[in-house]
């Protein structure tokens, strides 16, 4: 019987190969769950652990470093990525000591019982509405990474940040995708640092948001993995029968255009609104 998770859960995928270099095919990588808790009537962290184990899901990402969640995950074998919130970026970018204390309190103190494997520094910062955070992201990333290095955690805890499709200027066809000019000046130094430390490019990919932005020209079947004529990319010489694959290759094209053709793309959020959507703030349910 399928297990249906409550609305705070979003699917995420790990370890995508570049579809541009392969035949477009169904996803075969590792998947996990984004565990959001901004809602009412949600299960407790202990109940979430039970749900995840029943669904045989091992990878989890939270949007903060809530200690009740980290304690509940201790000894479970679940791998978790914790989040440094957008509201903490400016402080962490200018104060290395605060970054070090944050990593000590929210990562080191829970290891090895809680298997923390990554820190997501902010979420959808570049391309977002708060321009004051754009210049703080790289400094926060560097300070958090340097903190893990100082604590000898850099080889077991990966540093990343997730971007939305708002960072791209154009994604149709996928091979034409580039970073927006105003984003590029912040994105390229960030990607250069990620390249140095071996971090991937993390993407929140939502065919739903692309569809509702232009429902007259986008076939809903193309967004829903249903039978459709799809699109053809003459540069990649690939036919795409679903938007999700095309979005991933668009990200790879943008990275290649920026000079980072060897960087891996990881999808950190995806889903489809099932319980309503107001101003693109949607409720998602994922069934397995």
């Amino acid at each position: 019987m399928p297990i249906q998770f409550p609305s705070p859960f979003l699917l995420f995928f790990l370890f995508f190969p570049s579809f541009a270099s392969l035949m477009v095919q169904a996803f075969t990588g590792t998947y996990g769950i984004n565990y959001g808790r901004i809602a009412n009537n949600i299960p407790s962290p202990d109940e979430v652990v039970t749900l995840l184990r029943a669904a045989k899901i091992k990878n989890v990402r939270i949007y903060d470093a809530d200690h009740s969640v980290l304690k509940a995950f201790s000894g479970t074998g679940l791998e978790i990525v914790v989040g440094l919130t957008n509201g903490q970026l400016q402080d962490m970018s200018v104060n290395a000591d605060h970054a070090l204390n944050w990593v000590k309190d929210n990562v080191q103190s829970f290891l090895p019982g809680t298997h923390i494997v990554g820190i997501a520094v902010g979420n959808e910062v570049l391309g977002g509405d708060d321009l004051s955070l754009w210049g703080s992201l790289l400094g926060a990333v560097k300070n958090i990474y340097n903190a893990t290095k100082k604590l000898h955690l850099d080889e077991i805890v990966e540093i990343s940040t997730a971007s939305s499709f708002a960072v791209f200027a154009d994604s149709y066809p996928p091979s034409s995708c580039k970073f927006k000019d105003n984003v590029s000046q912040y994105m390229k130094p960030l990607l250069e640092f990620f390249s140095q430390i071996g971090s991937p490019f993390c993407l929140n990919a939502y065919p739903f948001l692309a569809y509702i932005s232009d429902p007259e020209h986008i076939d809903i079947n193309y967004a829903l993995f249903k039978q459709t004529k799809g699109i053809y990319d003459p540069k990649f010489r690939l036919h795409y029968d679903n938007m999700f694959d095309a979005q991933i290759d668009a990200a790879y094209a943008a990275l290649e255009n920026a000079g980072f053709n060897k960087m891996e793309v990881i999808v950190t959020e995806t889903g489809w609104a099932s319980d309503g959507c107001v101003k693109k703030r949607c409720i998602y349910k994922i069934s397995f």
Side-chain angles (χ1 to χ4, degrees), residues 84 88-105 107 119-122 135-154 157-161 189-190 193-194 196-197 199:
L84 181 77
Q88 297 171 296
L89 290 179
Q90 291 178 320
D91 177 40
M92 298 297 170
S93 70
V94 297
N95 198 317
D97 288 338
H98 287 187
L100 180 63
N101 289 334
W102 188 91
V103 174
K104 284 181 178 178
D105 294 342
V107 179
I119 301 172
V121 182
S136 299
L137 180 58
L138 180 57
V141 165
K142 287 184 174 180
N143 280 343
I144 291 294
Y145 172 76
N146 289 336
T148 63
K149 194 172 183 66
K150 189 171 184 178
L151 297 170
H152 307 290
L153 303 177
D154 54 301
V157 178
E158 184 176 74
I159 308 299
S160 66
T161 189
L190 180 67
F193 184 69
F194 281 160
Q196 292 171 9
I197 66 175
S199 291

Side-chain angles (χ1 to χ4, degrees), residues 89 121-127 133-143 145 159-163 167 179 183-202 255 258 260 263:
L89 290 179
V121 182
N123 186 54
E124 298 189 351
V125 177
L126 300 184
L133 297 181
W134 290 26
S136 299
L137 180 58
L138 180 57
V141 165
K142 287 184 174 180
N143 280 343
Y145 172 76
I159 308 299
S160 66
T161 189
S163 295
V167 301
F179 292 109
V183 170
S184 186
Q185 61 180 309
Y186 298 97
M187 182 65 78
K188 285 188 176 181
L190 180 67
L191 294 176
E192 183 64 40
F193 184 69
F194 281 160
S195 180
Q196 292 171 9
I197 66 175
S199 291
F201 177 75
C202 294
L255 289 171
F260 299 92
M263 185 168 287

Side-chain angles (χ1 to χ4, degrees), residues 215-283:
E216 293 185 9
H217 298 99
I218 297 177
D219 182 2
I220 192 170
N221 291 329
Y222 179 61
L224 284 173
F225 294 87
K226 294 184 177 180
Q227 187 171 356
T228 177
K229 66 178 182 179
I231 68 165
Y232 178 73
D233 189 316
K235 182 177 179 180
F236 283 165
R237 297 182 181 179
L238 291 174
H239 177 268
Y240 294 91
D241 59 12
N242 70 83
M243 181 180 288
F244 186 75
D245 284 351
Q247 286 184 325
I248 307 310
D249 265 12
Y252 274 112
L255 289 171
E256 183 174 356
N257 286 327
F260 299 92
N261 60 311
K262 294 184 178 180
M263 185 168 287
E264 182 181 44
V265 173
I266 289 180
V267 177
T268 38
E269 287 183 19
T270 192
W272 193 271
S274 58
D275 277 7
C277 183
V278 179
K279 294 182 179 179
K280 296 187 179 179
R281 296 182 64 84
C282 307
I283 299 173

